Amino acid sequence: MPERIVQLQGRLFLNFTLTAKTGLHIGGSPNNVAIGHLDHHVLRNPLNDQPYIPGSSLRGKMRSQLEKQLGVPQNQRIGQIFIHTCQTWRDYRACKVCRTFGLPGEREFSEVSRLIVRDAFLTKASADQLKELPTELPFTEIKGEAMIDRVNSATVPRQQERVPAGAIFAGELTFSLYKYDQRDQDQQELELFSAVLEALNLVEEDYLGGQGSRGSGQVVFSALTLRMRMNKAYNNLQDVREAATLNEMQEEWQKILADLVK
Ligand SMILES: [Zn+2]
């Protein structure tokens, strides 16, 4: 292990809108299934009663999608789920997942997480629109489903609260470029941000929240703005890049990378 000197090289700030293409359910424990009434409430901000997307939900989904895409072992149990964490320094050095999302603190070679995902709140326009909906609960819809009782094959009704399709949230993530080992190339840090964009792309293809296999939780990221605050070496960069879609931002990022490594 080299001497630990942590140098902050710069930060990337990505703002985006997250649009629910289908009803979105992010909420209480899925274990609390009761029958015949509203089983699953969505998570709400207690200050204004509006549903929101916790950063941890989006971040967790980004991580698990990237783990699967890269085919890394999901070898550590956190509560009810398994995630991947590298066991050795050598593996860690080459691992996009752990270097982006972090490792448990007890590892000798742990570094701080580079990626911070903020909670995403409804845009004002979207909240105003949802408020006008003639639904039982503010800002949401109730989706009824028929479940089959696996013991006696009877059909039992089940209800779930969802944020309706079309709801728009404002999201933000921050990516810090750290240098722990002075032998590292700056480029390696920057390339990790490509993995962040790829992870968002994978979430678009998959789903967010619960009941994804039954159609809930399809989301799309758009109206992306990337701001950068870099140390002196990067002063030639433009501060702001904008893109209408995630794919456009990925292309834009590849150009930024190419400029940097010239
Ligand atoms: Zn790893």
Side-chain angles (χ1 to χ4, degrees):
M1 285 264 308
E3 185 184 10
R4 277 174 82 87
I5 301 171
V6 188
Q7 190 185 359
L8 178 66
Q9 303 282 89
R11 282 201 165 117
L12 305 170
F13 305 90
L14 184 69
N15 288 79
F16 51 86
T17 62
L18 184 161
T19 304
K21 300 295 281 182
T22 60
L24 179 64
H25 175 85
I26 296 180
S29 163
N31 296 326
N32 277 335
V33 179
I35 291 171
H37 59 87
L38 187 59
D39 309 306
H40 293 214
H41 285 276
V42 301
L43 203 57
R44 289 174 187 266
N45 177 351
L47 286 180
N48 57 14
D49 218 21
Q50 293 180 11
Y52 73 101
I53 299 171
S56 57
S57 291
L58 177 54
R59 192 179 188 283
K61 193 72 189 191
M62 290 168 72
R63 180 174 192 141
S64 72
Q65 286 289 300
L66 199 61
E67 287 173 357
K68 291 184 182 98
Q69 194 214 25
L70 297 173
V72 291
Q74 292 182 309
N75 51 6
Q76 181 163 351
R77 190 180 184 130
I78 307 248
Q80 306 217 340
I81 58 160
F82 282 89
I83 68 164
H84 158 77
T85 61
C86 280
Q87 307 296 314
T88 67
W89 166 249
R90 181 190 287 269
D91 288 346
Y92 176 76
R93 297 283 295 147
C95 181
K96 282 185 190 171
V97 173
C98 294
R99 293 184 69 215
T100 300
F101 293 91
L103 277 173
E106 70 269 18
R107 298 281 150 76
E108 194 190 345
F109 49 90
S110 287
E111 300 175 351
V112 282
S113 168
R114 289 167 171 80
L115 178 67
I116 297 168
V117 181
R118 311 287 185 194
D119 292 346
F121 299 101
L122 283 170
T123 63
K124 186 176 182 309
S126 191
D128 288 347
Q129 194 186 16
L130 292 176
K131 207 158 37 181
E132 300 305 316
L133 286 180
T135 51
E136 296 96 326
L137 292 162
F139 308 103
T140 60
E141 64 182 6
I142 307 293
K143 187 183 178 235
E145 274 190 346
M147 275 173 61
I148 305 299
D149 185 311
R150 299 211 174 138
V151 178
N152 61 13
S153 299
T155 305
V156 286
R158 194 172 83 137
Q159 293 191 312
Q160 188 178 54
E161 185 183 18
R162 303 197 306 180
V163 180
I168 300 173
F169 297 84
E172 179 179 350
L173 59 84
T174 300
F175 190 80
S176 299
L177 305 158
Y178 290 116
K179 198 173 203 175
Y180 280 81
D181 183 337
Q182 296 305 309
R183 295 168 301 183
D184 280 355
Q185 300 296 308
D186 298 342
Q187 184 194 342
Q188 286 177 297
E189 285 290 306
L190 288 163
E191 280 172 353
L192 285 177
F193 189 67
S194 310
V196 172
L197 296 175
E198 181 57 29
L200 288 174
N201 197 27
L202 291 166
V203 174
E204 273 191 357
E205 292 169 0
D206 204 75
Y207 62 88
L208 199 57
Q211 309 295 319
S213 62
R214 279 177 259 170
S216 293
Q218 187 186 2
V219 298
V220 66
F221 302 100
S222 49
L224 300 106
T225 305
L226 180 64
R227 289 173 295 137
M228 291 173 274
R229 198 208 299 275
M230 297 292 193
N231 288 349
K232 283 188 194 124
Y234 303 115
N235 272 353
N236 56 340
L237 274 181
Q238 290 176 22
D239 283 344
V240 176
R241 303 289 175 107
E242 289 178 347
T245 65
L246 188 54
N247 283 346
E248 256 179 53
M249 184 53 82
Q250 285 178 298
E251 282 166 24
E252 202 60 38
W253 178 246
Q254 289 309 313
K255 284 185 217 153
I256 296 171
L257 264 185
D259 283 350
L260 281 168
V261 299
K262 252 185 220 161

